[in-house]
Amino acid sequence: MCNVTCFPRRIPALTKTKRSVEIVESFCGWDYLLRLVEKCKQERDKALISALFETGGRISEVLQLKKDNFVVQKPYLIVKAMPVLKRYKKVGEYTDRHGRRRWKTERKNAYRTFPIHMSEPLCEPFLRHIKECGSDLLFRISRIQAYRIVRSLDENIFPHWFRAQRASQLALEYGFDIHDLIDFFNWKSLQTATHYSHMGWKGLANKMKR
């Protein structure tokens, strides 16, 4: 009878999926964004991709946009009072059943107003949809539908990826600094701005030319 030494089966370590912001090293470029738009089968989907990038909004914020949120003042498309989610204020405290002190919070209404330069390549399909949309609400779809639209174009990107790309593009092409990004996105901390804005080697090289 032969002795067989049994080794425990090696279980591969679980790897944490990187967030869409963490995989953004620099602005992907207009050519790639335009290819995403061209792959869309419906005009609405083209406008959705354009809106996600041009506004830099969270998907829930973009889906709340209405025609009344936009005013053309050439050469800019002005976005007025776009809702900002994930804002809460403390309204009280309580102690949970484990004796830990907790905060009571409620959602705080916040809005941002900012310009989009109409010469940007993705502005045209977005503006066309705003003009031709038959309803007040621009996108009558759910978050899940929007997610599927984005993933059908490239399985490696998510709706929030466009937010990080917009921050990187503003830093690279317009020279936005941290404070400019805070104004554009209505962020509340420097940490958030630095987390999103990556210029990449091209941006650093452009800085050296000045």
Side-chain angles (χ1 to χ4, degrees):
M1 181 177 179
C2 61
N3 294 324
V4 179
T5 303
C6 296
F7 295 94
R9 184 168 60 91
R10 188 173 183 178
I11 301 175
L14 295 176
T15 56
K16 179 183 176 183
T17 303
K18 289 187 176 181
R19 295 174 56 196
S20 55
V21 175
E22 294 171 347
I23 63 176
V24 173
E25 296 180 353
S26 63
F27 177 45
C28 64
W30 291 106
D31 288 343
Y32 176 73
L33 292 172
L34 286 170
R35 285 198 298 271
L36 292 179
V37 171
E38 290 169 359
K39 289 173 68 175
C40 295
K41 297 179 180 179
Q42 299 184 43
E43 290 298 318
R44 178 206 63 192
D45 298 350
K46 293 180 180 181
L48 175 65
I49 298 302
S50 301
L52 285 169
F53 177 79
E54 291 289 357
T55 67
R58 301 178 181 90
I59 185 61
S60 297
E61 298 167 353
V62 170
L63 294 181
Q64 291 186 30
L65 286 173
K66 300 179 179 180
K67 297 180 74 169
D68 292 344
N69 288 116
F70 300 92
V71 175
V72 174
Q73 294 184 10
K74 293 184 178 180
Y76 301 104
L77 174 64
I78 309 299
V79 186
K80 302 187 306 176
M82 181 174 179
V84 177
L85 304 181
K86 286 194 172 182
R87 288 288 166 81
Y88 298 90
K89 63 180 179 180
K90 179 182 176 182
V91 295
E93 294 183 358
Y94 70 96
T95 302
D96 65 16
R97 61 190 182 91
H98 299 292
R100 290 189 289 255
R101 182 175 294 179
R102 303 287 188 180
W103 283 9
K104 289 183 179 179
T105 61
E106 65 180 25
R107 188 179 294 276
K108 180 180 179 181
N109 292 329
Y111 304 91
R112 50 188 281 244
T113 296
F114 56 94
I116 297 173
H117 204 290
M118 295 174 65
S119 66
E120 293 186 348
L122 264 61
C123 188
E124 192 273 333
F126 185 28
L127 185 58
R128 184 171 62 245
H129 181 70
I130 294 171
K131 293 178 178 179
E132 297 177 356
C133 184
S135 62
D136 186 37
L137 198 64
L138 293 184
F139 304 104
R140 291 188 173 276
I141 57 176
S142 67
R143 290 179 58 188
I144 294 177
Q145 287 176 296
Y147 178 89
R148 288 174 177 169
I149 290 169
V150 172
R151 295 284 281 175
S152 70
L153 304 176
D154 187 333
E155 63 181 10
N156 295 311
I157 62 175
F158 304 84
H160 210 75
W161 175 86
F162 292 94
R163 183 173 174 87
Q165 283 293 335
R166 182 55 159 167
S168 296
Q169 180 262 339
L170 291 172
L172 174 64
E173 297 192 345
Y174 291 116
F176 274 32
D177 61 21
I178 296 298
H179 299 286
D180 296 327
L181 292 173
I182 287 175
D183 285 342
F184 186 89
F185 289 96
N186 197 17
W187 286 327
K188 291 300 181 183
S189 70
L190 290 172
Q191 182 180 3
T192 302
T194 54
H195 185 55
Y196 275 88
S197 58
H198 301 277
M199 291 190 299
W201 71 266
K202 292 181 181 179
L204 297 175
N206 286 335
K207 288 280 187 180
M208 293 178 181
K209 294 178 182 178
R210 297 174 184 174

